[in-house]
Amino acid sequence: FKHRVGELMRQRGVTYSQLSRRADIGMQTCRMLYENPYYEMNTGTLYRCSKFFGVPITDLLVETDLSLYTSDAADERSSGD
């Protein structure tokens, strides 16, 4: 999964400082959430972000194609099949 926290921050004009203060999340974590949609946050941070943005947790997450990261897929790409 990847998350949409940075996307929502940009859309709504939310700063690191605002998210940090209002959702009780560390400033460094806020920066990572903004810059990296694959940053792995804990469930507490995910919950606080959903409450801050007023969206269900499921709206913060986007499923990614995990087959790109499996060893079988890597083997198929390298063998040219």
Side-chain angles (χ1 to χ4, degrees):
F1 287 93
K2 69 178 189 174
H3 64 80
R4 297 182 54 231
V5 174
E7 177 186 334
L8 289 172
M9 289 175 71
R10 285 185 283 281
Q11 286 176 354
R12 299 181 184 192
V14 174
T15 65
Y16 303 149
S17 180
Q18 290 169 327
L19 182 61
S20 178
R21 254 191 340 267
R22 295 181 189 163
D24 193 27
I25 298 170
M27 188 71 81
Q28 179 68 21
T29 299
C30 291
R31 195 174 113 235
M32 292 303 294
L33 291 170
Y34 183 86
E35 294 175 359
N36 182 359
Y38 295 96
Y39 179 77
E40 293 184 25
M41 68 182 108
N42 64 42
T43 55
T45 300
L46 183 60
Y47 175 78
R48 289 190 295 277
C49 286
S50 78
K51 291 300 177 193
F52 175 83
F53 288 110
V55 299
I57 288 173
T58 54
D59 286 359
L60 289 179
L61 300 174
V62 178
E63 191 170 356
T64 56
D65 184 359
L66 297 179
S67 68
L68 297 174
Y69 305 102
T70 63
S71 60
D72 291 342
D75 291 343
E76 288 175 17
R77 285 192 300 273
S78 65
S79 69
D81 291 340

